[in-house]
């Protein structure tokens, strides 16, 4: 039996982070959490690229070329979509999640969905450094694990 598992070290790995300015009161905390986690696990600052976009809807527009360029071992999408009265938020959430999965499947580069879907600002606060932790931090940990596991898969004759 062969078991392949990712490791927790980010040493020598390159990461791209796409983050939305919409709701930046919260997305700045997500970004800080993600960067802290990458650093804490051994990533160097010169191996982290951050790209800002207007809103969560625009995240896939930059993630696709970032995934296709071959530079990054894993990508992280960060945003906060808060439910309004129109259903617009629900559409954005679904579209972004589907696009992120599609980009990862098309390119083979892991793309971690760190977009928070919140009912209100309290929920957004709780998940961007509040009592439910920081989704940016956990997204970065997933990115490290996936970067590591994909590297191992590449080294293995499957
Ligand atoms: N963008 C977000 O990142 N979060 C939101 O909650 C949000 N809402 O609710 O409207 C939002 N809208 C903007 C959207 O992402 C695009 O930037 C805009 O539609 C232009 O394409």
């Amino acid at each position: 039996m062969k078991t392949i598992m990712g490791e927790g070290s980010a040493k020598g790995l390159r990461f791209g982070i796409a983050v939305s300015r919409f709701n930046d009161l919260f997305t700045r905390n997500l970004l800080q959490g993600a960067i802290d986690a990458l650093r804490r696990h051994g990533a160097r600052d010169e191996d982290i690229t951050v790209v800002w976009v207007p809103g969560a809807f625009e995240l896939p527009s930059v993630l696709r070329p970032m995934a296709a360029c071959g530079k990054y071992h894993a990508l992280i999408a960060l945003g906060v979509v808060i439910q309004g009265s129109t259903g617009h938020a629900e559409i954005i959430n679904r579209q972004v999640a589907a696009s992120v999965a599609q980009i990862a499947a098309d390119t083979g580069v892991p793309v971690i969905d760190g977009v928070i879907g919140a009912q209100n600002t309290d929920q957004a606060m709780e998940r961007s450094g509040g009592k439910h932790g920081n989704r940016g931090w956990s997204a970065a940990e997933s990115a490290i694990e996936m970067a590591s596991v994909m590297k191992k898969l590449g080294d293995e004759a499957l």
Side-chain angles (χ1 to χ4, degrees), residues 20 22-23 54-58 80-82 88-89 92:
S20 73
F22 205 104
N23 290 322
F57 190 78
E58 283 72 39
V80 173
V81 181
I82 300 177
H88 186 49
I92 295 172

Side-chain angles (χ1 to χ4, degrees), residues 35-50:
I35 292 171
D36 286 349
L38 293 176
R39 283 178 177 152
R40 193 73 72 89
H41 288 82
R44 301 178 310 170
D45 278 11
E46 56 265 45
D47 288 331
I48 304 171
T49 301
V50 177

Side-chain angles (χ1 to χ4, degrees), residues 66-132:
M66 289 172 87
C69 79
K71 175 176 173 187
Y72 303 104
H73 292 97
L75 299 170
I76 302 166
L78 298 177
V80 173
V81 181
I82 300 177
Q83 291 293 336
S85 51
T86 60
H88 186 49
E90 187 58 38
I91 294 166
I92 295 172
N93 256 337
R94 222 174 301 139
Q95 188 58 47
V96 171
S99 298
V100 161
Q102 193 63 53
I103 292 165
D106 289 350
T107 62
V109 177
V111 187
I112 307 304
D113 184 358
V115 177
I116 293 174
Q119 299 292 327
N120 50 51
T121 53
D122 283 350
Q123 279 190 355
M125 183 85 79
E126 287 165 6
R127 289 160 176 75
S128 56
K131 69 178 178 189
H132 290 302

